[in-house]
Amino acid sequence: MAVVGIAASVALGVAGATVAWNGAADGDVDPPSEQALRQARVAVTATIGSVATLATFSTALLLQTRRQRRAQAALERARSEADAASRAKTDFLANMSHEIRTPMTAILGYVDLLADGNVGAPGAPTRDEAVDTIRRNARHLLSVLNDMLDLSKIESGHMDVDRQPVRTVDLVQDVMRLMDDRARRRGIALKLALEGDVPEGIVTDPTRLRQILINLVGNAVKFTEHGAVTVTVRRDPGERRMLGFEVTDTGIGMTPEQLSRLYQPFVQADTSTTRRFGGTGLGLAITRRCVDMLGGTISVRSAPGAGTTFDVRIDVGDMEGTPPASLRSGTAPAPTPAAAPPAARVGRQPLSGVRVLLAEDGIDSQRLIRFHLERAGARVTVVGNGAKAVEEVHAASRLDRHDVILMDMQMPVMDGYDAARRLAASGDCAPIIALTAQGMTGDRERCLDSGCRDYLCKPVDPRALIAAIRHAIAPGATECTAIRQMPREVPEDSRPASTPADIHRAPRPGGPAGPPSAS
């Protein structure tokens, strides 16, 4: 209506001005008087004003239309993103349900076989097979949980980088050995190559680099049904700081559309990939973030049916003047002293004579932890809550005081946090090691702030527990950090095969080739 009114005003003004001026020009009327001229001017001015108003109104209408279109487009994008997020959530929950229920089915089923005494019967698995199946599936569940916690720590900025000198080939060969058993079960060759003057030693965070390589090699093995997986360590000529790690497989490959969402958390190439190969879709998201933390880059080349190549480059410090690395083909490198189990270094009972107070409310956990400690030679006293732990410490005489306290942090009556604070406030108690099933960001700091000396997340590795106790009693007595950093994804009973993964040195540009591959 406003537009119609303005248009009518313009038309009337134009008509009035036209009549006045035409009449004066044709001589039909007397020459225009001053009043007529004023009226004509008013009519023209009104017409111009109306035109300006109409133009302003049209411009405003056009801008409003554009804003509405942009708002509509934004609404459509938001709706599309919400739908995609909903689908991703649904797919993730379906994946997690599969990743949890599948191993739980195996665990409960094989436990029932053991409980019913059916192992070893015709057609049934042996006891060792049942135990191995339970252990393998339980570790898979733990790896799923650890992946989620790692991503949470990285995204919250609580994942630390600890750079230290590392022997390049030893670290990569360690990863290859850990993956070798898995590759052999799938009938896949596993190869390692060096290109260029790869330095013998680098400076990086060995835990993060090992995690990157385990994720990439593990993915390559998982998505490769025949052929080989090759890890190439490469130093480009003239490169002073950046070292490359390339993982190439002959697996199923990926489409460009799949590559575009490769590093999104909880997302795999497609849902059929999850059903066929398993996994939560967290591994590459964690890998990319670890690469960023190490000051590096990651790229990928792939095509459907033609395999995939991941190329990681990280900052490893100044490599100038560092001697080149060498490979020992066909034999496993001797373990360093820090990698040997503590029992092998300090005898069959590394906790002989050590008095331990265990505060734990779970009966099953009490029995399990006590068994491992007593087998290591410790004298163990068990209480069921924090209040009893405080009473036990205060009641113990100086001659019979505990050497270390293992404190579960979630207990009835008095939890481990309050108990640790009370014991620490007394100023005269043994070092406290927190045992907790909570592994989220900030849980370790909360335990240490309450007065604990150290922190272990359940399920507790007996070797890490023994190492932590010895370290708490005599700091520096054990290399417990090295033990705790052992890759969790690989079963402890994985042993290097008599002939490890194929190893060869690729020829340097213009130089002779190294020992040939065993393949």
Side-chain angles (χ1 to χ4, degrees):
M1 294 300 294
V3 174
V4 173
I6 294 173
S9 298
V10 172
L12 290 174
V14 171
T18 301
V19 170
W21 287 105
N22 287 342
D26 296 339
D28 295 337
V29 297
D30 294 332
S33 63
E34 188 69 26
Q35 182 179 0
L37 291 175
R38 282 198 301 271
Q39 290 175 349
R41 291 193 193 98
V42 169
V44 171
T45 302
T47 300
I48 294 173
S50 298
V51 170
T53 302
L54 180 61
T56 302
F57 184 86
S58 300
T59 302
L61 184 62
L62 179 61
L63 293 176
Q64 179 66 20
T65 302
R66 289 178 177 175
R67 282 194 293 268
Q68 289 178 346
R69 288 176 179 174
R70 286 196 295 267
Q72 184 67 28
L75 182 61
E76 291 295 334
R77 286 196 301 271
R79 183 181 295 112
S80 177
E81 292 173 358
D83 291 342
S86 178
R87 288 193 301 270
K89 177 182 177 182
T90 301
D91 290 343
F92 168 66
L93 292 176
N95 295 347
M96 291 302 297
S97 176
H98 174 270
E99 288 299 305
I100 293 173
R101 290 179 181 275
T102 299
M104 282 302 300
T105 299
I107 291 171
L108 295 175
Y110 279 82
V111 166
D112 288 341
L113 287 177
L114 289 171
D116 297 340
N118 290 326
V119 293
T126 65
R127 178 185 177 279
D128 289 344
E129 289 173 339
V131 170
D132 179 69
T133 300
I134 293 170
R135 181 188 294 117
R136 185 173 63 253
N137 282 275
R139 283 181 178 139
H140 172 73
L141 285 175
L142 183 59
S143 70
V144 171
L145 176 61
N146 283 328
D147 278 348
M148 297 184 66
L149 295 178
D150 280 347
L151 186 65
S152 171
K153 291 177 182 178
I154 292 171
E155 292 187 337
S156 64
H158 285 79
M159 184 73 81
D160 298 325
V161 174
D162 180 20
R163 295 184 180 271
Q164 55 185 276
V166 178
R167 291 180 63 87
T168 313
V169 173
D170 286 355
L171 185 145
V172 180
Q173 285 184 326
D174 179 47
V175 172
M176 300 292 280
R177 288 190 186 88
L178 294 171
M179 294 292 108
D180 187 60
D181 182 63
R182 189 183 305 178
R184 288 176 182 273
R185 289 198 302 266
R186 293 181 63 83
I188 301 168
L190 203 56
K191 303 178 180 181
L192 171 62
L194 302 184
E195 289 186 5
D197 292 325
V198 175
E200 181 180 31
I202 57 177
V203 177
T204 187
D205 186 324
T207 303
R208 303 292 158 244
L209 178 55
R210 185 180 288 109
Q211 188 172 19
I212 291 169
L213 294 177
I214 286 176
N215 281 342
L216 292 180
V217 177
N219 256 12
V221 171
K222 179 169 68 173
F223 293 114
T224 301
E225 297 179 315
H226 55 81
V229 173
T230 302
V231 179
T232 303
V233 186
R234 176 184 295 110
R235 180 184 180 184
D236 295 331
E239 184 58 69
R240 293 178 61 92
R241 301 186 65 89
M242 302 298 287
L243 189 64
F245 299 85
E246 188 177 87
V247 180
T248 302
D249 65 59
T250 57
I252 61 176
M254 289 176 283
T255 66
E257 195 273 333
Q258 290 168 345
L259 289 172
S260 67
R261 60 175 189 267
L262 194 60
Y263 302 108
Q264 297 177 23
F266 313 115
V267 175
Q268 286 195 331
D270 55 43
T271 53
S272 64
T273 298
T274 303
R275 291 192 297 269
R276 183 177 173 189
F277 296 99
T280 61
L282 293 176
L284 287 177
I286 294 172
T287 296
R288 183 171 189 173
R289 285 160 174 79
C290 287
V291 170
D292 291 341
M293 293 167 65
L294 297 182
T297 61
I298 182 171
S299 60
V300 58
R301 305 185 303 275
S302 186
T308 302
T309 296
F310 281 93
D311 187 5
V312 171
R313 295 177 180 273
I314 63 171
D315 186 342
V316 296
D318 194 343
M319 297 181 284
E320 290 298 319
T322 305
S326 61
L327 291 171
R328 292 179 291 276
S329 180
T331 59
T336 60
R345 296 195 301 272
V346 296
R348 289 182 177 275
Q349 291 192 315
L351 300 182
S352 179
V354 175
R355 291 179 291 274
V356 179
L357 174 61
L358 171 61
E360 166 66 59
D361 63 314
I363 301 298
D364 295 333
S365 295
Q366 286 179 0
R367 296 176 60 184
L368 184 63
I369 296 174
R370 182 171 194 161
F371 167 76
H372 289 301
L373 293 178
E374 290 182 342
R375 188 173 65 168
R379 294 165 51 192
V380 184
T381 301
V382 179
V383 295
N385 59 63
K388 291 184 178 179
V390 174
E391 294 174 3
E392 181 69 28
V393 170
H394 290 162
S397 65
R398 254 180 209 286
L399 296 178
D400 197 34
R401 62 172 292 173
H402 306 93
D403 297 303
V404 68
I405 301 171
L406 302 179
M407 186 75 72
D408 181 26
M409 306 312 286
Q410 291 80 36
M411 292 184 291
V413 183
M414 180 187 294
D415 64 23
Y417 299 104
D418 286 341
R421 278 190 287 267
R422 296 193 184 193
L423 292 175
S426 68
D428 184 28
C429 76
I432 304 172
I433 299 175
L435 302 180
T436 177
Q438 293 184 341
M440 296 297 291
T441 299
D443 288 328
R444 180 178 187 276
E445 289 73 17
R446 184 184 177 193
C447 292
L448 298 182
D449 290 344
S450 67
C452 297
R453 178 79 61 84
D454 207 344
Y455 165 97
L456 291 176
C457 188
K458 296 178 181 178
V460 178
D461 184 332
R463 294 182 303 163
L465 177 60
I466 292 171
I469 292 173
R470 287 180 52 79
H471 184 71
I473 295 172
T478 65
E479 298 80 1
C480 60
T481 301
I483 295 172
R484 289 181 201 160
Q485 291 177 351
M486 291 184 67
R488 58 177 176 260
E489 293 88 348
V490 180
E492 293 174 6
D493 55 357
S494 295
R495 297 287 186 266
S498 56
T499 304
D502 296 332
I503 297 172
H504 72 281
R505 174 182 286 278
R508 301 179 189 175
S517 167
S519 54

